[in-house]
Amino acid sequence: GRLLSSAQAFLEGCKKNKTCYNSDIAHHDYNGVFMKGMRAFTLAEVLITLGIIGVVASMTIPSLIANHNEKQTVVQLKKVYATLSNAYVSVLNEYGAPADWGLPSKNNNESHDMFMAKFDNYLKYIKNCGTTDNSCYTDKIYDLKGNPYTSDVITVNSFKAILADGSGFALRVWNENCVLDYDICAFFEVDVNGLKKPNRFGRDIFRFYVTPKTIIPYGSPVWPGNDDQNFDNKCLIGGGACTAWVLINENMDYLHCPEKLGWDKAKSCK
């Protein structure tokens, strides 16, 4: 091969002549260092490095995905809450409180339909299933720990629909004669990702109570004398009362460090 004075000249020569030989590399130096003494990584070393990268990725990527999904759930839940709350304010302005709507018994399917008929001008649906079609809401619900949960909206006919943002909900009238500020007139059970899994309270299913004046997240600490604010018993065990926690603290850290959290304790794992 051609004798070159440096690796730089060697490479330039190769580029110009479009021909290089291993012997050229072995017998020429760059700044006093013979290139014969330099070597690349072996295949084994490359494979070991890739293996290490794969192990690290397998440990960190699931955590990153879970963290992203939780943040998305928080955003979606806040959006649904705003949608329902704003609609209810408009309904109250137009029709007054639910006790004045002439609703039949809560055990009458017509009561659920009549209740949601007041929202017709204020909510946009992808699909309105009413009380006769169950295709808008899951037929299997689980608690926070993954145990089967018998929800009122599944065992009885309730109003079901899919909102414009893709979230599904079921509504059931609870007390047609609600008059006190914290009486429960009805409740919304919302699945923020529609019919997709996991269909678990505290993960993608959340509940709201409808009172004569507003919609309150299940588990709210501002509800006087109501045991639903008990974080340890109502959120950490069943998951139903996690709604207020997610909205107020903007996290789902009860999935990661439940022993540290509480309304009178830490509000996040950090």
Side-chain angles (χ1 to χ4, degrees), residues 149 151-153 187-190 201 205-209 216-219 240 243-244:
Y149 182 90
S151 174
D152 298 318
V153 301
F187 65 83
F188 284 102
E189 193 171 282
V190 177
F201 274 109
I205 293 181
F206 302 89
R207 185 172 285 190
F208 299 91
Y209 286 152
I216 297 179
Y218 190 11
T243 310

